[in-house]
Amino acid sequence: MKMFRDNQSGVNEVFKSSVYPTPALPPSMPWLDNEPPQPPTGLQASSGMISWNPSPDHDIRSWALYQQFTNGWQLVRVLDRNTTAVRVSPGTYAVRAVDRMANESSEAIVNVS
C-alpha cells in the first residue's frame, strides 16, 4: 500500500491509464444483501448539467452515471453519495443509486442536448 500511497514511480497514473482506464463498481454481494436502494428522483438536464434528488434511503454509498453509446450503456463516472449534480457533454445518461453492497437501483434516464 505504501507504493500506492506515495505514488512511487507514478504507479497510480500507470494503473489509471493502462490497467484500469474506465471506472468500475465492485461486485455486488447478494448473499449478504440483495435489496437495491431507491432510485434518484427529479432527474433533469439544463445547460449541460444533470441534477437529481436523492431518495430518503440512507443506504446510498455512491451514484453510478452511465452514458448510452451505439453499442450500449457504459459506466462513465462513480460519484460520491453527496453529489446531486454533474456537468456532462450532450448525450443520453442514466443515474443509478448504489448501496454499500454494490446493489444498483433502477435507472433514471435523461437526455442532455
Side-chain angles (χ1 to χ4, degrees):
M1 291 305 301
K2 183 178 180 182
M3 184 168 79
F4 294 111
R5 183 194 68 210
D6 297 341
N7 195 21
Q8 293 176 358
S9 301
V11 69
N12 294 342
E13 285 72 28
V14 170
F15 272 84
K16 286 179 187 176
S17 65
S18 62
V19 180
Y20 301 106
T22 58
L25 293 170
S28 63
M29 296 180 254
W31 61 92
L32 295 175
D33 172 16
N34 65 356
E35 187 69 32
Q38 294 293 314
T41 60
L43 189 70
Q44 56 186 347
S46 177
S47 301
M49 291 287 293
I50 297 174
S51 62
W52 61 90
N53 301 317
S55 68
D57 193 341
H58 297 289
D59 196 25
I60 296 172
R61 182 177 198 169
S62 60
W63 300 100
L65 178 66
Y66 291 87
Q67 186 174 8
Q68 187 175 33
F69 294 98
T70 55
N71 60 346
W73 292 93
Q74 181 178 342
L75 179 64
V76 291
R77 292 188 59 189
V78 178
L79 305 161
D80 179 81
R81 69 179 299 221
N82 296 317
T83 302
T84 57
V86 63
R87 182 166 298 286
V88 295
S89 58
T92 301
Y93 292 88
V95 179
R96 289 181 167 199
V98 182
D99 68 13
R100 63 186 188 86
M101 294 295 154
N103 296 308
E104 291 184 73
S105 72
S106 58
E107 64 276 348
I109 298 174
V110 67
N111 290 310
V112 178
S113 52

